[in-house]
Amino acid sequence: EVQLVETGGGLVQPGKSLKLTCATSGFTFSNAWMHWVRQSPEKQLEWVAQIKAKSNNYATYYAESVKGRFTISRDDSKSSVYLQMNSLKEEDTAIYYCTWGGSDSFAYWGQGTLVTVSS
Amino acid sequence: DVVMTQTPVSLSVSLGGQVSISCRSSQSLVHNNGNTYLSWYLQKPGQSPQLLIYKVSNRFSGISDRFSGSGSGTDLTLKISRVEPDDLGVYYCGQGTQYPPTFGGGTKLELK
């Protein structure tokens, strides 16, 4: 059974940092392209970042809204993907989902972790 | 970015009825390779989104044949027949043809 479990969310002040972790199981993680997708309080879904597999040189891609502030990474030995979020803004407040899929669709989602940016 | 527009925003249906949800994109979703990367997701109350349909009309593993996708180019449709209580929630379309992937604003399906 495919499982994705996100941790690391919480309440943080604007300008601060937070690191999210997604632990996975049930599939061959080393071959998987992984994404982070977030859902705003208004329920809008927004793709945040992607990291491809080693065979694709771990290529990364980011939404313009987070480029330069967020960094996606992975540890194939731990079947985990991470999202380092720096210089957080109030508009980054959202539920952050880890997802597995190609670039064309998101087949599996974690339960999400809530990030609240507020002073 | 490709803008995805879903209509209607909300929909009321009787159990056993049939509904259609429209998704229109600001640009053609036909990829250079000939595929159209349009997916449909359902988010049930209190849950994460789940994939229903990919590449316009392909049902994901375990998805009932009551769900069907159709359309081409910029005009795509999800049809749900014989609606059941477990079908209620918010439906989203999403495109993966062009970076960045983008989603529609959602259509809430409620009981009449």
Side-chain angles (χ1 to χ4, degrees), chain A residues 6 33 35 37 39 42-47 50 52 61-64 95 97 103-112, chain B residues 1 37-39 41 43 47-51 53-55 60-61 92 94-97 99-106:
Chain A
E6 303 94 335
W33 293 2
H35 304 256
V37 174
Q39 187 169 37
E42 296 76 28
K43 303 302 183 184
Q44 179 62 48
L45 293 170
E46 180 187 18
W47 172 82
Q50 177 190 20
K52 292 188 175 181
Y61 305 85
Y62 297 93
E64 281 299 321
I95 297 173
Y97 295 102
S103 295
D104 58 287
S105 63
F106 306 103
Y108 296 94
W109 300 61
Q111 86 288 350
Chain B
D1 297 1
Y37 296 112
L38 186 283
S39 303
Y41 304 85
Q43 186 171 32
Q47 296 187 19
S48 308
Q50 62 179 100
L51 178 64
I53 301 278
Y54 63 97
K55 286 199 289 186
F60 189 55
S61 173
Y92 296 91
Q95 69 82 23
T97 295
Y99 269 92
T102 50
F103 297 90

Side-chain angles (χ1 to χ4, degrees), chain A residues 11-63:
Chain A
L11 174 62
V12 62
Q13 292 178 329
K16 300 295 188 181
S17 300
L18 206 58
K19 186 174 184 177
L20 306 183
T21 297
C22 172
T24 76
S25 60
F27 63 101
T28 306
F29 181 82
S30 58
N31 294 338
W33 293 2
M34 301 300 298
H35 304 256
W36 288 95
V37 174
R38 66 187 181 184
Q39 187 169 37
S40 68
E42 296 76 28
K43 303 302 183 184
Q44 179 62 48
L45 293 170
E46 180 187 18
W47 172 82
V48 173
Q50 177 190 20
I51 186 165
K52 292 188 175 181
K54 182 178 181 181
S55 58
N56 307 107
N57 297 316
Y58 298 122
T60 58
Y61 305 85
Y62 297 93

Side-chain angles (χ1 to χ4, degrees), chain B residues 60-96:
Chain B
F60 189 55
S61 173
I63 300 302
S64 168
D65 60 5
R66 298 183 299 101
F67 294 88
S68 61
S70 62
S72 62
T74 61
D75 200 349
L76 295 304
T77 301
L78 175 70
K79 186 168 74 175
I80 312 166
S81 58
R82 304 185 307 279
V83 169
E84 299 179 357
D86 198 43
D87 299 339
L88 304 182
V90 181
Y91 289 81
Y92 296 91
C93 62
Q95 69 82 23

